[in-house]
Amino acid sequence: METKTMNIKVEKAKTSKIGQVDFNNLAFGNVFTDHMVVCNYKNGSWEVPEIVPYHPITLDPSAKIFHYGQSIFEGMKAYKDGNDDIWLFRPMDNCKRLNISAKRMAIPEIPEDYFMESLKALLKLEKDWIPQTPGSSLYIRPFIFASGNGFHASPADEYMFIIAFAPSGAYFSGKVKVLIEEKYSRSANGGVGFAKAGGNYAGQFYPTQLAVDKGYNQVIWTDDNTHEYIEEAGAMNIFVRINDTLLTAPTSDRILDGITRRSILKIAESEGIPVEERKIAVSELIKAAKDGSLKEMFGAGTAAVISPISTFGFRDVDYDLPETPNSYAALFKKCITDIQYNRAEDNFGWRLKV
Ligand SMILES: *Cc1c(COP(=O)(O)O)cnc(C)c1O
């Protein structure tokens, strides 16, 4: 991809909101920093990104995002260590995946240096917003949507790329109770399940609410064709431990290629843990739950890193998972967060200093 030398213009906010923020009581994603990156696509190309005060944006009612849902995003985090150094975790993977999503949704790809350089410039400007209490981080939300106008059902001719930051507290990772879904699908062969497209989330909300109404926290998605194989845990990748083998569904059109998932597979390999990337049948899970070989299940994604599952429900029967000593979930979470917060050697080359 073409590299341009970039002079990112910065328009500073007149006042900072940072004094109004209680950094000891941060929830997830509802407080935003003083500035954001804005980059416009017009006349067939991306303009140079700028940093401007965080502000609401105005769109025409005919903007295509509202009608045809051309909208994609990424989720990543910045971490501060004890020396006030700022770290990112595998940021190029997010940049590349944003462009994979862009291609599928007929959105023009963002030049990689526009993404990386504007992100780093915004992080340097907002460094005081990166919380340092244990487990907290700065959540980063890069996104692109169709800002161009017109009711005609075709790709827009204008887009906006924005990066916004939300300081976030330690993600509550109590164990979750999940329901294996047999009616609704998150994604289908040939569809957009592998893209981080806003519409994938919209389609999940209703079935998830039905599961919540039944007393579950989250849905386990199964394949759209047979509903016999588990694929993802809500908006996280799914892992299962049977005896000492770690299983996860293979990525496909239907499954998002998670960076946490990829990291877990690498760590498992380096720890000598047997791994199988293959289809996992619901019937196999139930058999393993009954004979005691099912040791752990967990979701994996940037927000919670690892989300352990306590119980799965299937056809009105709940199956409880045991408390497993030396759990893989705890091992992977420690390994990943130690690298993220610069507490351990980064043998994989995943960390990037800003
Ligand atoms: C974002 C996401 C994940 C997790 O990806 P990470 O890169 O690990 O954050 C998994 N599944 C879905 C559907 C997602 O949207």
Side-chain angles (χ1 to χ4, degrees):
M1 195 156 275
E2 175 189 13
T3 314
K4 297 173 190 157
T5 39
M6 217 179 315
N7 187 5
I8 297 173
K9 234 174 53 193
V10 179
E11 182 195 337
K12 286 234 179 139
K14 290 197 177 65
T15 56
S16 174
K17 298 170 293 195
I18 198 164
Q20 301 159 25
V21 177
D22 178 0
F23 279 86
N24 293 315
N25 286 300
L26 290 168
F28 177 77
N30 55 6
V31 170
F32 307 99
T33 67
D34 291 324
H35 302 88
M36 62 187 190
V37 168
V38 172
C39 178
N40 287 297
Y41 180 91
K42 280 184 183 156
N43 306 316
S45 70
W46 286 102
E47 296 175 347
V48 176
E50 293 184 356
I51 290 175
V52 295
Y54 188 91
H55 69 280
I57 47 186
T58 306
L59 293 173
D60 192 272
S62 77
K64 294 205 180 191
I65 171 62
F66 298 134
H67 307 277
Y68 306 121
Q70 275 182 296
S71 160
I72 55 172
F73 67 95
E74 274 300 320
M76 50 203 298
K77 286 175 172 176
Y79 313 86
K80 208 183 243 184
D81 67 18
N83 295 322
D84 270 1
D85 284 328
I86 305 167
W87 302 92
L88 289 165
F89 184 72
R90 313 187 72 170
M92 268 311 282
D93 289 33
N94 293 97
C95 176
K96 289 189 184 304
R97 189 171 65 190
L98 184 67
N99 280 335
I100 289 170
S101 301
K103 187 169 182 191
R104 180 62 182 86
M105 304 307 285
I107 290 171
E109 291 171 45
I110 185 95
E112 289 177 352
D113 55 339
Y114 281 19
F115 180 104
M116 289 301 297
E117 295 310 311
S118 66
L119 172 59
K120 287 193 248 175
L122 187 61
L123 276 171
K124 284 180 184 152
L125 183 64
E126 306 285 59
K127 62 181 187 312
D128 293 342
W129 285 88
I130 307 175
Q132 230 162 347
T133 44
S136 60
S137 58
L138 187 75
Y139 185 77
I140 300 170
R141 174 50 63 87
F143 59 105
I144 307 179
F145 62 90
S147 52
N149 300 338
F151 289 149
H152 190 258
S154 57
D157 56 1
E158 293 185 1
Y159 297 84
M160 271 178 109
F161 168 67
I162 293 179
I163 305 177
F165 291 164
S168 296
Y171 202 91
F172 173 68
S173 51
K175 291 201 171 181
V176 296
K177 194 175 163 185
V178 297
L179 179 65
I180 295 179
E181 178 62 57
E182 287 191 282
K183 176 175 181 193
Y184 297 99
S185 299
R186 194 191 81 86
S187 58
N189 282 330
V192 301
F194 67 94
K196 241 174 151 61
N200 284 337
Y201 280 69
Q204 286 183 227
F205 292 156
Y206 175 66
T208 303
Q209 188 53 48
L210 296 179
V212 168
D213 292 345
K214 287 186 185 168
Y216 296 90
N217 305 103
Q218 199 47 271
V219 162
I220 298 286
W221 301 105
T222 52
D223 70 290
D224 63 299
N225 188 22
T226 67
H227 294 293
E228 283 174 20
Y229 299 94
I230 60 168
E231 301 211 313
E232 294 213 58
M236 288 185 281
N237 294 112
I238 181 102
F239 283 86
V240 174
R241 173 180 176 182
I242 295 182
N243 289 318
D244 284 337
T245 302
L246 183 70
L247 307 175
T248 191
T251 53
S252 69
D253 278 2
R254 305 185 302 273
I255 296 181
L256 192 115
D257 184 1
I259 294 160
T260 316
R261 176 187 179 280
R262 247 185 252 163
S263 305
I264 288 170
L265 292 176
K266 273 276 177 221
I267 293 166
E269 187 192 329
S270 80
E271 296 282 328
I273 293 171
V275 175
E276 293 177 14
E277 269 185 87
R278 62 161 172 86
K279 287 164 52 165
I280 306 163
V282 179
S283 59
E284 181 182 4
L285 274 187
I286 289 170
K287 186 173 161 290
K290 285 181 175 162
D291 70 19
S293 59
L294 181 62
K295 305 292 186 197
E296 294 180 64
M297 284 174 70
F298 52 90
T302 294
V305 188
I306 303 275
S307 182
I309 292 168
S310 62
T311 303
F312 73 88
F314 181 68
R315 297 189 185 163
D316 297 324
V317 181
D318 281 349
Y319 300 83
D320 290 324
L321 280 106
E323 280 297 329
T324 301
N326 303 317
S327 86
Y328 286 173
L331 170 85
F332 295 136
K333 179 151 190 177
K334 179 167 181 350
C335 238
I336 291 174
T337 54
D338 280 353
I339 292 174
Q340 289 172 334
Y341 287 89
N342 190 28
R343 293 188 295 246
E345 275 300 309
D346 173 17
N347 297 321
F348 304 101
W350 289 339
R351 202 159 52 206
L352 180 77
K353 191 170 176 171
V354 178

